[in-house]
């Protein structure tokens, strides 16, 4: 059985790591390169960096930060934010990123998923999906959660898989930053409906939330931010606890 992955997420704004609640009220959480090094030492399996204002401000992800992170890390990392073309993705790959994450640009032009998958391989392409529950069901949101679309979340994720996404990073905006636990119902539904890995995101607050998401859904990885950034859950302690529940993890 493949090991379940623990992935710290670093939301980056103006070169600093930030964290908010329900995508707002951002607080400084430190230097991303320094944090990346610490997580690698602690046993994180991968890292995700999201330039959270790149799409909204029409800015490209900072290549220099990627190079600095790549020099520090011996674990895979994904970078997202403002990627709209093969040239953007290629620049990040050349700078040292292992995967790229696309979100708003993929919704606006779904063929981008196919283009990137053909150019670099499906394992390079992560499609990030920010979802929020509304009266009609779960709807995909864009631009850091600022813009609601008419897209049904499950339908869009299935389409992304068919177009060549290698992995889905699914963030529940309703749970994000609340520390009340992952959206288990949604994650279980999505992970059972597709054949590519799902990364659970949004809601981690204590160790039990990680055991729940691995025991009660089919996700392949769990991502969190503030509980790691502020030292509330040390990664080695988390992994030892998961091991007690016979959840396969890399120690």
């Amino acid at each position: 059985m493949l090991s379940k992955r623990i992935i710290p997420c670093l939301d980056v704004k103006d070169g600093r790591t930030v964290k908010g609640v329900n995508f707002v009220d951002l607080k400084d959480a430190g230097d991303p390169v320094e944090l990346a090094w610490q997580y690698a030492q602690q046993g994180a399996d991968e890292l995700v960096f999201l330039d959270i204002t790149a799409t909204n401000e029409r800015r490209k992800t900072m290549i220099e930060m990627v190079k600095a992170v790549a020099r520090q890390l011996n674990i895979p990392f994904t970078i997202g934010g403002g990627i709209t073309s093969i040239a953007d993705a290629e620049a990040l790959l050349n700078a040292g990123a292992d995967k790229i994450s696309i979100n708003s640009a993929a919704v606006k032009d779904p063929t981008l998923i196919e283009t990137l998958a053909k150019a670099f391989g499906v394992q390079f392409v992560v499609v990030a999906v920010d979802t929020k529950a509304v009266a009609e069901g779960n709807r995909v949101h864009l631009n850091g959660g600022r813009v609601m679309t008419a897209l049904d979340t499950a339908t869009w994720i299935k389409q992304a898989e068919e177009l060549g996404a290698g992995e889905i990073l699914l963030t529940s905006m309703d749970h994000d930053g609340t520390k009340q636990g992952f959206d288990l119902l949604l994650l279980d539904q999505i992970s059972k409906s597709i054949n590519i890995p799902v990364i659970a995101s949004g809601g981690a607050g204590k160790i039990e939330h990680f055991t729940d998401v691995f025991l009660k859904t089919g996700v392949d990885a769990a991502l969190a931010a503030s509980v790691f950034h502020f030292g509330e859950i040390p990664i080695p302690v988390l992994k030892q606890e998961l091991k007690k529940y016979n959840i396969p993890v890399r120690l």
Side-chain angles (χ1 to χ4, degrees):
M1 188 182 291
L2 285 175
S3 293
K4 301 294 188 180
R5 290 169 288 149
I6 299 299
I7 306 177
C9 179
L10 296 89
D11 291 335
V12 179
K13 184 176 188 288
D14 303 325
R16 298 290 292 178
T17 309
V18 295
K19 188 63 196 121
V21 177
N22 303 125
F23 283 39
V24 295
D25 297 330
L26 300 178
K27 293 176 182 172
D28 188 279
D31 174 68
V33 181
E34 195 178 300
L35 280 171
W37 184 83
Q38 290 174 13
Y39 290 138
Q41 300 305 304
Q42 290 174 25
D45 296 293
E46 294 181 22
L47 294 176
V48 169
F49 295 85
L50 299 176
D51 190 344
I52 59 171
T53 52
T55 302
N56 197 49
E57 297 172 6
R58 304 291 184 268
R59 249 188 319 103
K60 301 304 177 192
T61 307
M62 291 172 292
I63 295 292
E64 290 309 311
M65 190 200 80
V66 177
K67 289 178 179 174
V69 170
R71 284 194 294 268
Q72 297 269 6
L73 286 195
N74 59 356
I75 58 173
F77 71 96
T78 300
I79 190 112
I83 298 164
T84 59
S85 66
I86 281 189
D88 292 339
E90 193 166 36
L92 292 165
L93 180 62
N94 290 339
D98 296 276
K99 307 177 202 174
I100 51 99
S101 169
I102 51 175
N103 189 333
S104 299
V107 172
K108 291 169 184 171
D109 177 15
T111 62
L112 179 63
I113 301 171
E114 197 170 20
T115 301
L116 293 172
K118 283 179 178 172
F120 305 110
V122 294
Q123 74 281 359
F124 184 67
V125 183
V126 178
V127 173
V129 179
D130 296 331
T131 183
K132 189 176 175 64
V134 295
E136 301 80 17
N138 281 284
R139 290 288 178 267
V140 175
H141 284 60
L142 305 183
N143 292 27
R146 297 174 186 85
V147 179
M148 186 174 86
T149 73
L151 276 178
D152 173 72
T153 299
T155 304
W156 166 237
I157 288 172
K158 191 70 186 166
Q159 184 185 353
E161 178 188 27
E162 289 165 358
L163 288 167
E167 200 160 18
I168 299 295
L169 169 53
L170 181 58
T171 301
S172 164
M173 292 175 60
D174 300 303
H175 288 243
D176 181 72
T178 64
K179 299 187 181 179
Q180 299 299 304
F182 293 98
D183 189 336
L184 300 178
L185 285 174
L186 177 67
L187 290 163
D188 191 45
Q189 175 202 346
I190 297 299
S191 61
K192 285 176 176 171
S193 71
I194 58 175
N195 299 306
I196 55 174
V198 174
I199 303 169
S201 169
K206 51 189 179 180
I207 287 175
E208 298 93 283
H209 295 151
F210 289 90
T211 56
D212 281 349
V213 81
F214 288 132
L215 292 173
K216 297 177 181 178
T217 80
V219 302
D220 301 82
L223 175 147
S226 60
V227 292
F228 296 142
H229 300 338
F230 302 122
E232 294 163 41
I233 300 178
I235 291 171
V237 174
L238 169 59
K239 287 194 164 186
Q240 288 292 351
E241 193 65 24
L242 293 174
K243 203 80 176 168
K244 289 180 189 174
Y245 287 86
N246 296 317
I247 296 166
V249 289
R250 181 184 65 86
L251 296 176

